[in-house]
Amino acid sequence: MSEHSASSYKLGELKPALSRNEALAEANRCLFCYDAPCTRACPTHIDVPKFIKKIASENLKGSAKTILEANILGASCARVCPTEVLCEGACVLNDLHDKPIKIGRLQRYATDPFVMEGTQLFQAGEATGKKVAIVGGGPAGLACAHELTLLGHEAVVFEAQARLGGLNTYGIADYKLDIETSLKEVDWVQSIGFSVRTNTRIGQDVSMSELLADYDAVFIGVGLGSIPTLGMPGEDLAGYEDALVFIDTLKHQSIDQVSLKGQRVAVIGGGNTAIDAVSQSASLGAEKVYMVYRRGREDMGAYDHEIDLALSKGTVEIVYMAQPTEILGEGGKVTGLKCVRHRLKAADASGKSGIEVIEDSDFVLPVDRVFRATGQAKYRDFFAGVDGLEVDRSGRVVVDGNGKTSIDKLWASGDCANGGKEVVNAVAEGKAAAQHIHQALEAKTHG
Amino acid sequence: MADLKVNIAGIESPNPFWLASAPPANTGDQVMRAFDAGWGGAVWKTLGEPIVNTWSRYGALDLNGQKMMGLNNIELITDRPLEVNFREIAEVKKRYPKHAVIVSLMVEAKREAWHEIVKRAIDAGADGLELNFGCPHGMSERGMGSAVGQVPDYTCQITEWAKEASTIPVLVKLTPNITDVRFAARAAKRGGADGVSLINTINSITSVDLDTFAPRPTVSGYSSHGGYCGPAVKPIALNMVSEIARDPETAGIPISGIGGISNWRDAVEFFLLGATTVQVCTAVMHYGFRIVEDMIDGLNNYLDEKGLANVHELCGKSVGHIRDWKNLDLNYVVRANIDQNKCIGCGLCYTACNDGAHQAIGAKPADNGRTEVWVIEEACVGCNLCSLVCPVEQCISMQQIPVDAEPCSWEQYSSGKGKLAPRPQDNH
Ligand SMILES: Cc1cc2nc3c(=O)[nH]c(=O)nc-3n(C[C@H](O)[C@H](O)[C@H](O)COP(=O)(O)OP(=O)(O)OC[C@H]3O[C@@H](n4cnc5c(N)ncnc54)[C@H](O)[C@@H]3O)c2cc1C
Ligand SMILES: Cc1cc2nc3c(=O)[nH]c(=O)nc-3n(C[C@H](O)[C@H](O)[C@H](O)COP(=O)(O)O)c2cc1C
Ligand code: SF4
């Protein structure tokens, strides 16, 4: 479906669309394994060999349905999933030919003609008369709302932002998923017929207690918040920002507005947000990009394939075992990042070795921009406002395997409960919560 | 959603997908698991006097990394006692009354023997019978299987015997190891067959071990010719099905199509050429019963897309598109056209046309290090070869060229009634 690839990817697409020729050849390479490892590796358990066989037989509609019945955001997951560590990582062909089946790209080949063209494949279930409020229109909330609608319940999504999609729309690197694609998918998901109130922040514009009183059940899928400042001098300088804001700006603005040509950048952090910010800074023409991480590579949260991608840009350097202490500036603008070096201490009881600062090890990275990617905050205040809601020490909503929280009528999942995983986890959990809500509502009706 | 129910020669089936008489339909347990997976019917592994098999018994043809494009076997009919088979058939029918259970039979050429086994199959609850006149190995040495199918008079005779004793529909399974399948089909019809199934397997030796000199499958250093099936045989089967559908003497006889069917598209081709049900063996032996899910789903989507209400509306739709060669239009002119934007410069079309066809493609080294190719229009006879070898989708297309001449077939031309449009050979 080459017409879908002609979108607005500013830095080129990491995994472009397959042509029919490529898709058929690739689909025919699939062995059609028994109890397939790829299916087991997928958090939404898409029946991968089944959808691939249907591509091979050119039953594209059947293929798309197979995917989307399991994972309603199958089209964006096809683009953003870390398939290297999920389905494709599990493919038995890794041991035979060294090259797994391109499952993500085949998934895109099958779903785009329906999702991107707005062809509906599902129908709302027969109305049950029950109403469920969904707080947050990201992957978790959308998956939950869609599943509830399929089951005949009236779902209403409350979203703080102007657009739905959560991080799919605002946070995922543009070279994986651009904003137009996310919004097309969101429209398609919504077209099954649930209502949406955007620009409505629960806890501010409408209270949780109102929702709990007015609806038969409430689902929280608020994700995570912004990245907090680090409490060091110089954090008021221009050129210092939350990496998420930088990524979001890039998604919304033209390439000239966000160019980093001639600039030097430091990104603080070692996770996937940090590595995304690094890769994108390099792609935007930065002369030099430092990634500053306080421990060694083995402790970095970022995926190996993402690190390799970043390093392949040539201008990227990872500074391990270093801690920023001050942002230096001149005339209100960033000119450098001052850091100290760390070294490992003997391992503690848990087996993890600690780190300590090496005295007099200060050094300065000469940079014009600094992005912090040191972990998103939890919505602790919002959760604290919900009477009796149990939250763990790290600020995650405590839920059982079905997304049920500690209080009546309330479910939660996605990043806000799992602490921050992938889109596909949010979808799987949001859907599972919807099914559990359904059971609970049915039990109430019949019980 | 379309209705997939079919009725073939009086046998009702929830869908047109049947297991062929072969290992997948060897036992009651397998047939029941197949029905659970979605198969509409099963033709039980051929029953007769129990035999003894060799151990090593299958060989395969792999093609460019694709496994089992062709499968060869030297297996005989069931090696399980008849009572056990009949007991299981009864059990399956009891548990799956709506599914089609067809019992395949093969006994020696004696009237009483046929009467007896036909009765036992009916008593077990079979919905139909299939007479196996097709196995090309082993059984044929004993005067059964293709030894019957290759002689129209025997085919007719034994069909008559089976029909004398049968109260249920009888299908005759034909062998492809024959010069003209129409004679076999006509004989079956004369004998009273309610329908025909085809094809059984084709005589074959799939490969030879270059070190031991023993053909495969090897039994203690020796082999025997076996029966060939799988994706490689589909074109042969499609032709044979269409010949029976077109033959005025057998036109309209219910056909169960078999041979190389792996997915719903293959099945639709058999329906279009006249089959009402299809039977599958190799694809199930390769991938299991689960393949029927996409067969059903794909067929359903296809029928919906075409606005057809059921499978019967599909049956035979392509039969009218087949003519004798002498009636094809000699003035229908096509010519190769290369889309230069899609060309990847491999030069395969040049080699094929230059050495294997009509020297109608030019080639020269291109600036980008690849090969530039173009069609020499006046030399192109429109044979399609270049478009068949081209690895790029829709890069070489065959385009119809309007000509200033009325359609003209060989029949018309040779009887002086038509005029030929100019042809490339005229230029030489
Ligand atoms: C930079 C970055 C890159 C990533 N890259 C990938 C990737 O490549 N692949 C991948 O699979 N995952 C990636 N992830 C993770 C993925 O984006 C998340 O796991 C996923 O979006 C979680 O979905 P969610 O619905 O739980 O939360 P979110 O996507 O965060 O959605 C939550 C929604 O709730 C709304 N909201 C919040 N509070 C309120 C309120 N009080 N009232 C109403 N609405 C509210 C928010 O506006 C938002 O729309 C990335 C994450 C980040 C930060
Ligand atoms: C191992 C094997 C055993 C078979 N045994 C029988 C049999 O007992 N009776 C019969 O009528 N056909 C038998 N066949 C032929 C199949 O029923 C079928 O006609 C043939 O395999 C073509 O279909 P396919 O291409 O789907 O395999 C056998 C085929 C194979 C591969
Ligand atoms: S397929 Fe089964 S019966 Fe045949 S050789 Fe292998 S294990 Fe033995």
Side-chain angles (χ1 to χ4, degrees):
Chain A
M1 297 290 112
S2 50
E3 64 265 32
H4 302 300
S5 59
S7 57
S8 61
Y9 292 93
K10 299 175 187 92
L11 304 173
E13 241 187 314
L14 190 60
K15 295 181 183 172
L18 292 172
S19 71
R20 176 170 170 273
N21 239 14
E22 289 173 293
L24 290 181
E26 192 63 11
N28 280 309
R29 232 162 56 79
C30 170
L31 297 182
F32 204 33
C33 291
Y34 170 73
D35 193 11
C38 45
T39 294
R40 280 190 269 160
C42 171
T44 58
H45 301 304
I46 293 174
D47 190 334
V48 175
K50 180 165 151 185
F51 94 70
I52 291 182
K53 270 274 156 176
K54 285 173 191 284
I55 291 177
S57 86
E58 300 205 63
N59 174 11
L60 223 50
K61 185 174 174 188
S63 182
K65 265 192 126 161
T66 303
I67 296 161
L68 297 163
E69 272 167 4
N71 177 342
I72 196 64
L73 296 193
S76 58
C77 281
R79 296 162 162 89
V80 310
C81 269
T83 53
E84 292 83 348
V85 298
L86 296 174
C87 52
E88 294 177 20
C91 178
V92 299
L93 290 183
N94 285 303
D95 293 347
L96 189 66
H97 299 151
D98 214 31
K99 279 226 172 8
I101 301 293
K102 294 173 182 145
I103 298 171
R105 294 177 71 190
L106 286 173
Q107 182 169 317
R108 170 169 173 184
Y109 177 80
T111 49
D112 271 5
F114 301 90
V115 176
M116 295 302 137
E117 301 297 329
T119 307
Q120 189 51 265
L121 295 171
F122 300 100
Q123 252 182 324
E126 209 181 307
T128 61
K130 303 282 182 194
K131 277 170 68 178
V132 183
I134 314 284
V135 185
L142 288 172
C144 184
H146 191 271
E147 188 69 16
L148 286 168
T149 311
L150 274 180
L151 295 167
H153 306 295
E154 186 187 338
V156 184
V157 176
F158 296 89
E159 168 55 55
Q161 301 282 348
R163 303 291 189 94
L164 290 180
L167 289 172
N168 261 1
T169 300
Y170 294 101
I172 304 246
D174 189 71
Y175 60 83
K176 291 184 201 160
L177 181 66
D178 71 346
I179 189 161
E180 286 81 359
T181 307
S182 173
L183 292 176
K184 271 192 198 165
E185 181 182 52
V186 163
D187 285 346
W188 178 83
V189 172
Q190 201 201 324
S191 71
I192 191 176
F194 53 80
S195 36
V196 174
R197 313 261 170 80
T198 45
N199 296 313
T200 309
R201 183 172 288 279
I202 303 302
Q204 187 176 306
D205 303 317
V206 179
S207 73
M208 273 300 285
S209 46
E210 267 174 81
L211 292 186
L212 285 164
D214 294 351
Y215 289 80
D216 297 293
V218 180
F219 172 86
I220 299 182
V222 292
L224 301 172
S226 53
I227 301 173
T229 50
L230 300 173
M232 58 183 167
E235 287 193 294
D236 53 345
L237 290 166
Y240 174 66
E241 8 182 38
D242 179 338
L244 292 179
V245 175
F246 161 64
I247 292 170
D248 184 27
T249 312
L250 164 59
K251 283 175 85 94
H252 287 83
Q253 295 190 353
S254 81
I255 190 100
D256 312 328
Q257 288 172 290
V258 288
S259 169
L260 290 175
K261 277 217 171 61
Q263 302 203 39
R264 288 161 302 178
V265 177
V267 177
I268 308 170
N272 283 312
T273 300
I275 202 77
D276 270 356
V278 167
S279 274
Q280 295 191 79
S281 298
S283 302
L284 287 171
E287 194 168 276
K288 182 80 198 171
V289 186
Y290 299 100
M291 180 170 184
V292 183
Y293 179 53
R294 65 202 167 90
R295 303 179 66 102
R297 168 138 184 188
E298 53 294 347
D299 290 320
M300 264 167 83
Y303 292 119
D304 285 340
H305 62 269
E306 301 272 8
I307 298 172
D308 293 343
L309 178 76
L311 290 174
S312 73
K313 313 262 181 206
T315 47
V316 172
E317 181 184 332
I318 306 181
V319 184
Y320 295 108
M321 307 296 289
Q323 173 79 49
T325 51
E326 182 179 354
I327 299 173
L328 307 175
E330 255 177 52
K333 283 188 177 159
V334 173
T335 57
L337 181 65
K338 190 166 162 193
C339 309
V340 287
R341 295 211 183 271
H342 279 164
R343 71 174 158 230
L344 290 178
K345 281 197 306 197
D348 63 10
S350 74
K352 192 166 171 166
S353 41
I355 39 177
E356 61 188 3
V357 173
I358 305 177
E359 264 173 57
D360 298 328
S361 64
D362 290 15
F363 64 99
V364 173
L365 298 172
V367 293
D368 314 292
R369 304 287 293 271
V370 177
F371 303 128
R372 62 177 184 278
T374 39
Q376 292 170 264
K378 314 289 189 315
Y379 285 115
R380 287 176 192 267
D381 294 347
F382 172 67
F383 302 143
V386 185
D387 242 6
L389 178 62
E390 202 184 323
V391 173
D392 71 9
R393 275 173 54 199
S394 60
R396 297 178 298 195
V397 179
V398 176
V399 293
D400 67 12
N402 297 311
K404 183 70 183 50
T405 69
S406 56
I407 69 172
D408 193 33
K409 286 175 48 173
L410 186 64
W411 281 256
S413 46
D415 279 0
C416 70
N418 65 30
K421 287 187 176 166
E422 311 294 338
V423 173
V424 66
N425 301 94
V427 172
E429 295 167 14
K431 180 181 173 183
Q435 287 167 346
H436 195 242
I437 292 171
H438 174 66
Q439 279 172 22
L441 296 181
E442 291 276 283
K444 252 190 205 158
T445 314
H446 304 295
Chain B
M1 247 200 209
D3 181 7
L4 295 193
K5 277 202 295 298
V6 290
N7 180 320
I8 175 169
I11 305 169
E12 308 254 354
S13 178
N15 66 48
F17 302 111
W18 291 358
L19 295 180
S21 175
N26 203 35
T27 65
D29 165 65
Q30 286 169 290
V31 170
M32 289 191 281
R33 282 194 285 122
F35 288 170
D36 288 341
W39 293 88
V43 186
W44 209 272
K45 173 76 184 170
T46 303
L47 303 186
E49 283 311 313
I51 52 78
V52 180
N53 271 312
T54 58
W55 292 81
S56 165
R57 53 185 99 155
Y58 309 146
L61 178 80
D62 300 344
L63 208 60
N64 299 335
Q66 293 276 348
K67 300 283 283 181
M68 269 180 41
M69 289 292 95
L71 177 69
N72 162 296
N73 83 90
I74 56 168
E75 183 174 288
L76 306 183
I77 61 174
T78 186
D79 53 10
R80 304 161 73 234
L82 279 176
E83 314 76 73
V84 174
N85 278 300
F86 284 128
R87 197 185 332 120
E88 291 178 2
I89 289 167
E91 174 75 19
V92 170
K93 268 319 293 183
K94 204 167 92 202
R95 292 217 222 159
Y96 296 83
K98 294 226 159 79
H99 287 67
V101 175
I102 291 85
V103 177
S104 170
L105 302 173
M106 180 197 291
V107 287
E108 56 181 335
K110 286 201 183 125
R111 191 173 179 192
E112 308 71 52
W114 277 97
H115 282 185
E116 147 127 26
I117 198 152
V118 163
K119 285 189 188 125
R120 290 181 72 182
I122 295 171
D123 288 346
D127 299 299
L129 303 174
E130 189 179 84
L131 313 185
N132 178 349
F133 299 162
C135 276
H137 46 267
M139 302 312 290
S140 56
E141 295 170 13
R142 305 175 197 177
M144 292 180 259
S146 64
V148 174
Q150 284 167 341
V151 183
D153 287 346
Y154 295 172
T155 300
C156 175
Q157 176 67 75
I158 296 182
T159 308
E160 276 174 12
W161 290 342
K163 282 293 288 181
E164 283 165 10
S166 182
T167 52
I168 58 177
V170 173
L171 308 175
V172 171
K173 183 162 175 182
L174 303 175
T175 175
N177 300 303
I178 193 168
T179 326
D180 187 338
V181 77
R182 291 176 300 181
F183 290 86
R186 288 171 194 163
K189 191 175 176 192
R190 265 201 317 282
D194 300 291
V196 291
S197 318
L198 70 163
I199 59 175
N200 209 309
T201 53
I202 305 175
N203 278 333
S204 63
I205 287 179
T206 36
S207 66
V208 179
D209 186 316
L210 299 190
D211 298 317
T212 65
F213 308 149
R216 298 189 183 91
T218 307
V219 182
S220 167
Y222 296 89
S223 190
S224 191
H225 77 78
Y228 196 45
C229 53
V233 310
K234 188 184 79 173
I236 297 166
L238 284 175
N239 174 55
M240 290 190 165
V241 165
S242 78
E243 299 231 298
I244 294 171
R246 285 179 66 215
D247 182 13
E249 285 191 39
T250 51
I253 193 167
I255 300 173
S256 187
I258 318 169
I261 296 163
S262 307
N263 59 41
W264 66 273
R265 302 183 77 87
D266 299 330
V268 167
E269 292 176 310
F270 276 84
F271 299 140
L272 289 171
L273 289 172
T276 307
T277 61
V278 289
Q279 301 182 23
V280 182
C281 164
T282 304
V284 171
M285 290 179 70
H286 199 161
Y287 295 115
F289 298 131
R290 59 193 165 146
I291 60 170
V292 76
E293 190 276 336
D294 182 51
M295 292 183 151
I296 293 170
D297 186 37
L299 176 61
N300 246 321
N301 288 340
Y302 174 79
L303 290 172
D304 288 350
E305 213 172 274
K306 296 280 171 225
L308 299 173
N310 58 54
V311 180
H312 289 283
E313 291 186 14
L314 205 57
C315 288
K317 266 200 182 319
S318 293
V319 175
H321 289 270
I322 304 176
R323 291 178 170 178
D324 285 344
W325 193 95
K326 65 183 182 208
N327 293 324
L328 296 177
D329 181 8
L330 298 171
N331 287 345
Y332 172 75
V333 178
V334 293
R335 200 184 283 144
N337 183 288
I338 302 174
D339 182 342
Q340 297 293 352
N341 292 324
K342 293 195 171 134
C343 178
I344 56 173
C346 66
L348 282 181
C349 57
Y350 169 76
T351 310
C353 185
N354 205 40
D355 295 0
H358 298 87
Q359 301 80 50
I361 292 182
K364 68 169 194 232
D367 295 340
N368 63 0
R370 307 271 177 94
T371 299
E372 182 185 339
V373 289
W374 63 93
V375 176
I376 303 161
E377 295 191 351
E378 61 280 12
C380 174
V381 305
C383 71
N384 300 338
L385 181 65
C386 54
S387 72
L388 301 179
V389 300
C390 179
V392 183
E393 189 189 1
Q394 283 172 3
C395 174
I396 304 187
S397 54
M398 302 306 298
Q399 298 191 343
Q400 192 186 344
I401 309 293
V403 290
D404 194 14
E406 291 297 307
C408 170
S409 67
W410 172 253
E411 183 138 279
Q412 291 166 323
Y413 176 66
S414 59
S415 62
K417 285 193 208 130
K419 264 184 83 173
L420 290 184
R423 323 188 83 68
Q425 302 84 293
D426 303 342
N427 300 329
H428 291 290

